[in-house]
Amino acid sequence: MPTVKDVYELINSIAPFDRQSAWDNSGIAAGSFEQKVDTVVIALDITADVVAFANENRAQLIVSHHPLIFKARKQLMSNDPAYMLANAGLSAICAHTSLDIADGGVNDVLTQKLGYGKCSPLTDVGEAAMVRVFEYSEPHEIGEIAAQTSRTLKTAVRYSDCGKAIKKVAVCGGAGCDFAPQCAALGCDLLITGDAGHHDFIDGIIDGISIIAAGHFETENPVVEFLADIINKKLGLKTLIAPAYSPCQTAVWI
């Protein structure tokens, strides 16, 4: 029977953990490399609900995109997913920025879903290599692209208009606005990402790049299907995608 280490090595072969950003915490996050595995739960985030789902389905391992532990903790209480994992004897592997930058990973899955197909990286080196770039044959209006992004990802989007038609599009799921200045400098007219703050939109207009913010969850969650499929096919393990929804909800009062 495969072990946690077998799953770890498979993920490492497609999204090498040594390519993660210096501030990241990808890799094995809980459990044991020697633990036998027949059922794996896949999730964007390891939440209490995901741990409960894994227990209900008698899984031995959870594979997530976002790290189980990001910051140092001085307490580990019973409602903390890390405590719940250890208490249940579950292992966890997290592939974060290593999967963002990987060929076929988060951002390639997102460009495919958006209809852009296989795209080239923005650069060949550094963290910005996780950004993918698509170029339209003819200019498009920002409102048209925003509407299509909303329909495709089935979510509300926010966007800014830098005042020019769009030909060259940068795509980075999650929190990609740190790359906006570099995208603009390299000729991109638009950045599609997950998160954007008020000043990101303002700075983008100054830099001459429009921004579409389509939601962190919505731009990254599609990768869970990729992970489930490859673990199932390569190792023959049962893979279950945990039910999930964005923790950021939208409400309108009229």
Side-chain angles (χ1 to χ4, degrees), residues 34-178:
E34 287 70 43
Q35 186 171 15
K36 302 290 186 182
V37 178
D38 61 41
T39 303
V40 183
V41 166
I42 315 294
L44 187 70
D45 300 280
I46 300 178
T47 64
D49 287 343
V50 170
V51 177
F53 178 81
N55 277 328
E56 290 166 7
N57 288 277
R58 299 183 180 179
Q60 299 82 33
L61 171 65
I62 299 174
V63 173
S64 72
H65 176 48
H66 290 143
L68 172 67
I69 299 171
F70 238 141
K71 299 177 182 178
R73 299 179 185 178
K74 294 185 178 181
Q75 293 177 315
L76 203 59
M77 308 305 289
S78 61
N79 63 340
D80 189 306
Y83 176 97
M84 295 171 69
L85 275 169
N87 192 50
L90 286 163
S91 294
I93 297 171
C94 309
H96 189 214
T97 52
S98 56
L99 191 61
D100 286 325
I101 204 169
D103 185 26
V106 170
N107 291 303
D108 285 328
V109 171
L110 180 57
T111 58
Q112 294 277 355
K113 191 172 184 67
L114 291 172
Y116 295 146
K118 178 70 173 175
C119 300
S120 301
L122 179 69
T123 67
D124 294 326
V125 296
E127 288 186 330
M130 69 178 64
V131 181
R132 300 298 189 256
V133 177
F134 171 82
E135 190 158 358
Y136 288 108
S137 58
E138 298 292 337
H140 283 57
E141 295 299 319
I142 179 64
E144 173 191 353
I145 301 172
Q148 182 59 39
T149 302
S150 176
R151 286 192 293 266
T152 300
L153 298 181
K154 296 180 174 59
T155 185
V157 305
R158 297 177 299 135
Y159 71 95
S160 59
D161 184 354
C162 72
K164 61 183 178 182
I166 309 299
K167 280 204 71 177
K168 194 171 183 181
V169 181
V171 178
C172 184
C177 278
D178 285 349

